[in-house]
Amino acid sequence: MSALDLIATASDATFAGRVMMLEFRVAQQVASEDPATADHDVRINYAALVIRGDEKPQLVAAHVISSNPTIAAAIESDPAALGSNVPDGDIEFALSSIWTSRGLAYAAGATP
């Protein structure tokens, strides 16, 4: 596996745009979730950050790719496709999987 292929995909405007659109979907789901959900406060704060447009899609795309071996393998199977062979459902699943960790990272960064 070449990290260069993964970087190229995360940096691709189309792939990052897909990640951004799916981020909005997950953000809306989080905004509507039960407040008793574990880590809801950081999850909802991160959802607000995404909805405001304050997130960097290419950075999130890199996190999605690096956190999900299925997505990385799909990219590696056809590097020239730049992630067009990765189903939206896989990206959405990966976003849901990393949502709390991103929320916690932003919360940690907000404190001195």
Side-chain angles (χ1 to χ4, degrees):
M1 168 177 11
S2 170
L4 295 176
D5 296 332
L6 305 179
I7 292 166
T9 299
S11 300
D12 179 70
T14 300
F15 186 81
R18 289 175 62 207
V19 169
M20 180 184 67
M21 292 302 294
L22 294 163
E23 274 183 283
F24 282 115
R25 180 182 295 170
V26 176
Q28 185 58 47
Q29 292 167 354
V30 170
S32 303
E33 76 185 5
D34 183 344
T37 301
D39 296 310
H40 177 70
D41 288 345
V42 295
R43 291 170 55 76
I44 195 75
N45 288 338
Y46 182 64
L49 180 130
V50 168
I51 290 169
R52 286 192 312 266
D54 293 335
E55 183 55 283
K56 298 169 184 71
Q58 289 179 333
L59 182 66
V60 178
H63 193 174
V64 161
I65 292 166
S66 66
S67 70
N68 189 290
T70 300
I71 292 174
I75 292 165
E76 284 299 316
S77 74
D78 187 2
L82 293 171
S84 64
N85 58 335
V86 177
D88 285 354
D90 288 0
I91 296 169
E92 187 174 350
F93 175 82
L95 284 166
S96 296
S97 299
I98 65 173
W99 202 267
T100 299
S101 66
R102 293 197 66 76
L104 289 167
Y106 273 91
T111 56

